Amino acid sequence: MAEFSIIDTYFNRKSSHSVDLGVGDDSALLTPPPQQQLVICADTLVAGRHFPLNTSPHAIGWKSVAVNLSDIAAMGAKPQSILLALSLPQIDHDWLKGFSQGLYDCCDQFGVSLIGGDTTQSPHLTISVTALGWVDIGQAVTRATAQVGDLICVSGTVGDAAFALQHLGHPLQRRLDYPTPRCELGQALKGLAHSMIDVSDGLAQDLSHILKASHVGATLQLDQLPINSTLQDLTREQQWQYALAGGDDYELCFTISPQNYEKLLQQQNHSSIKVIGKIDAESGLRFQQNGLDHSLQFTGYQHFA
């Protein structure tokens, strides 16, 4: 089967969203909404590196989209479309059918269109997705504007995916295979949060990116970390290791003033949000347990380890 036959068979579904020209030409065409900025990001997943080799093709398709939509959400933006670059060791129709269905299932849930890309042969299965979204001009939430006195918050629970990776077959594996990008929450935080990042490489490491970009420090309360009840039988150190250094959760970590946090809670039900610490002026990331300083060292995910 030639490249264009693969595209026509598995990746040429007509878009139902705001796309002027999608799959099938040299480039796609989009008309930007008035007074909006383009938000764009890209992520690459490599078999055996970013997901276990026996992961179902449907889950791989879903995750390939979800991890990019999480980056869009972390800017407070609304996702709009994706581009797919797919490198395949061989043509496997069952795999392509499952993968494309997983990709489209994620796109459909979050109102996103596949508008183009590329396919080629490669010794290793590699999936690169570029995601595009829109945000009001000047309203994107970045990493560089955390303020002293901000509360540090995180959505959902952290550590689930890292635990699942070491316990394949556990019910938490769904959190590893099918992450949920927090698109609705990300958009709700536009105009409220001072800074934001998605948790992909470990909460401690990702929060440190905010601290460095904003030239501030932080203190995290270990007893306030949102840890899944499944992990409660582990030692506290094991729980903290998963929660702070595990990664692959794709939750949102953001900083917000106490006043804006109250506004957020009044807007809609955000019961999944947990306050875990506070931004302060002293550089670096510190930890406390029950109000007492606690020394911990974490590295987070290393892409070139």
Side-chain angles (χ1 to χ4, degrees):
M1 177 179 279
E3 173 190 2
F4 299 113
S5 296
I6 294 175
I7 295 171
D8 287 339
T9 301
Y10 299 105
F11 303 108
N12 197 22
R13 192 180 71 175
K14 297 301 179 183
S15 171
S16 58
H17 307 292
S18 302
V19 177
D20 299 321
L21 180 64
V23 176
D25 218 305
D26 288 312
S27 298
L29 295 175
L30 304 174
T31 300
Q35 302 301 308
Q36 301 274 295
Q37 286 180 295
L38 173 64
V39 180
I40 186 168
C41 65
D43 261 304
T44 297
L45 302 183
V46 179
R49 177 69 175 173
H50 297 99
F51 54 86
L53 294 175
N54 62 350
T55 302
S56 78
H58 186 277
I60 298 170
W62 174 283
K63 189 169 187 176
S64 299
V65 179
V67 299
N68 283 272
L69 300 190
S70 183
D71 282 329
I72 298 292
M75 302 294 289
K78 181 179 181 180
Q80 199 269 347
S81 52
I82 62 165
L83 299 163
L84 168 68
L86 181 62
S87 300
L88 297 167
Q90 60 188 12
I91 296 172
D92 181 331
H93 294 288
D94 288 337
W95 189 93
L96 283 165
K97 182 178 179 180
F99 172 83
S100 60
Q101 187 61 58
L103 179 144
Y104 279 123
D105 283 348
C106 190
C107 285
D108 288 344
Q109 181 161 329
F110 296 97
V112 169
S113 298
L114 174 64
I115 60 172
D118 189 30
T119 59
T120 190
Q121 188 173 26
S122 169
H124 304 288
L125 171 62
T126 306
I127 306 116
S128 294
V129 171
T130 300
L132 299 87
W134 307 110
V135 68
D136 296 336
I137 291 176
Q139 291 295 302
V141 186
T142 73
R143 305 176 181 182
T145 45
Q147 298 181 15
V148 173
D150 277 357
L151 303 176
I152 303 168
C153 303
V154 68
S155 64
T157 54
V158 287
D160 299 1
F163 177 85
L165 184 60
Q166 295 184 7
H167 301 82
L168 296 178
H170 189 278
L172 280 181
Q173 186 170 341
R174 186 162 186 85
R175 288 274 285 148
L176 173 68
D177 291 345
Y178 291 94
T180 301
R182 305 303 181 186
C183 297
E184 182 179 349
L185 175 60
Q187 293 170 66
L189 287 166
K190 182 182 63 176
L192 293 177
H194 288 149
S195 65
M196 184 154 53
I197 193 170
D198 77 322
V199 181
S200 56
D201 295 334
L203 177 59
Q205 179 168 291
D206 288 324
L207 175 58
S208 293
H209 294 320
I210 288 180
L211 305 184
K212 181 178 180 180
S214 298
H215 306 289
V216 293
T219 301
L220 287 188
Q221 302 298 328
L222 295 170
D223 50 307
Q224 294 177 13
L225 292 174
I227 298 175
N228 196 293
S229 59
T230 303
L231 278 61
Q232 296 300 324
D233 290 337
L234 303 177
T235 67
R236 289 179 304 182
E237 288 73 17
Q238 289 173 320
Q239 293 179 39
W240 296 337
Q241 178 69 32
Y242 283 125
L244 292 167
D248 237 15
D249 290 305
Y250 299 99
E251 297 293 346
L252 293 179
C253 176
F254 59 94
T255 76
I256 188 170
S257 70
Q259 296 83 358
N260 283 350
Y261 179 71
E262 292 301 321
K263 291 179 182 178
L264 177 66
L265 296 183
Q266 292 169 9
Q267 282 185 4
Q268 50 189 303
N269 179 23
H270 288 300
S271 59
S272 65
I273 297 172
K274 190 73 177 292
V275 177
I276 60 171
K278 197 170 185 178
I279 296 293
D280 49 49
E282 183 183 353
S283 63
L285 178 59
R286 291 162 295 283
F287 303 96
Q288 290 187 345
Q289 183 192 12
N290 297 322
L292 301 176
D293 292 342
H294 196 96
S295 179
L296 291 174
Q297 294 293 328
F298 295 108
T299 57
Y301 180 77
Q302 301 298 312
H303 291 266
F304 289 91

